[in-house]
Amino acid sequence: MDGTDMRHLSATAQNALAAEYVLGTLRGRARQRFEALMREDRALANVVRGWEDWLTPLCAFVQPVEPPERVWRAIEARITPRAAQAPTGFFSSLGFWRGLGTAMAVALVALIVMFPRSPAAPDRASMVAVLATPEADPRMVIERHAGKLMVKMVKPWAEMPNQDLELWAIPKDGKPRSLGIVAYNKDSEVQLPNLDEKLAGTVAFAISREPTGGSKNPEGPSGPVICSGPIARTA
């Protein structure tokens, strides 16, 4: 919203910003300007109140994500120097799971997109996840439909010569499971014969940047994890 006159935004853009404001993902100067405009524009304030009324009940659809036991052991190890050290790695880190907690607000946006106030479509998704960067910048929306995952691009990445993006299913306990390569600049579909098995116990999805062909590490990503998000189950 930086440098933009809110009065010239479309109704769709104003609704999107109002939703971000209610979720708490509209921050800093953009949030301050939005609040100032709300005080001047009663119609916009009414839009925000509508989103407050709409979003609050949706919290009941989002299942909480609890860090695995090894994360609590890592916390205890930091508090008590003699405590046994927990396994290391990105998916064992407190930062990853704390980030998923923050991303719960972002995940509600996907529920709004999937479940508007009109009756649900017959083929509605049974899982929805919004994958965001550590800076809370949404990049992908993942929906689970019968027999496949639909990976919808929100904000594509720049070209990645000699690199691929790999999608991971993150269980509450245990190592991440690769779901294959997805496009960096357009929508993708993931269809695997053992998809149900891969998704069993999964609480989050993540994307890592890998060499061409995917991770060279049999235990998980070999490259950096660039976005992740918790799963909201809707069925």
Side-chain angles (χ1 to χ4, degrees):
M1 197 174 75
D2 290 349
T4 302
D5 186 347
M6 283 285 298
R7 293 176 178 81
H8 295 156
L9 291 176
S10 66
T12 299
Q14 289 192 20
N15 272 280
L17 288 167
E20 287 191 50
Y21 177 81
V22 174
L23 289 170
T25 57
L26 188 65
R27 300 172 181 171
R29 294 180 181 176
R31 187 176 186 87
Q32 293 171 2
R33 285 198 292 274
F34 189 80
E35 289 174 338
L37 187 56
M38 276 197 300
R39 291 191 290 269
E40 301 172 2
D41 189 336
R42 183 174 299 178
L44 182 60
N46 288 336
V47 172
V48 172
R49 279 194 291 273
W51 279 106
E52 289 172 341
D53 293 343
W54 174 232
L55 283 172
T56 302
L58 287 177
C59 293
F61 287 97
V62 181
Q63 297 182 358
V65 175
E66 296 183 5
E69 184 62 29
R70 63 180 177 272
V71 174
W72 297 121
R73 290 198 298 268
I75 294 172
E76 291 174 356
R78 293 183 181 184
I79 296 172
T80 306
R82 295 189 189 87
Q85 293 299 315
T88 58
F90 181 81
F91 294 113
S92 298
S93 70
L94 176 61
F96 173 74
W97 293 95
R98 183 169 54 195
L100 285 184
T102 302
M104 278 300 182
V106 181
L108 281 174
V109 174
L111 290 176
I112 297 162
V113 173
M114 290 301 302
F115 307 109
R117 299 171 201 187
S118 58
D123 186 33
R124 76 177 193 176
S126 60
M127 282 183 180
V128 180
V130 177
L131 275 57
T133 66
E135 296 75 33
D137 183 18
R139 304 302 294 257
M140 293 177 170
V141 175
I142 298 181
E143 305 165 6
R144 183 185 181 184
H145 294 266
K148 64 183 177 181
L149 291 175
M150 297 177 63
V151 182
K152 297 184 177 182
M153 187 64 63
V154 175
K155 184 178 179 182
W157 279 268
E159 285 192 39
M160 295 184 175
N162 303 316
Q163 293 181 317
D164 280 324
L165 296 185
E166 189 162 358
L167 175 62
W168 301 87
I170 313 301
K172 183 177 178 181
D173 291 296
K175 66 181 183 180
R177 306 163 189 156
S178 175
L179 299 174
I181 302 300
V182 297
Y184 67 88
N185 59 353
K186 61 182 180 179
D187 295 350
S188 305
E189 286 190 5
V190 175
Q191 299 188 54
L192 299 171
N194 60 342
L195 183 60
D196 288 343
E197 179 182 345
K198 291 272 192 179
L199 295 179
T202 299
V203 297
F205 292 114
I207 292 284
S208 64
R209 188 170 66 242
E210 303 289 349
T212 302
S215 174
K216 310 307 179 185
N217 177 8
E219 298 299 316
S222 59
V225 173
I226 57 178
C227 65
S228 59
I231 291 171
R233 286 176 168 81
T234 60

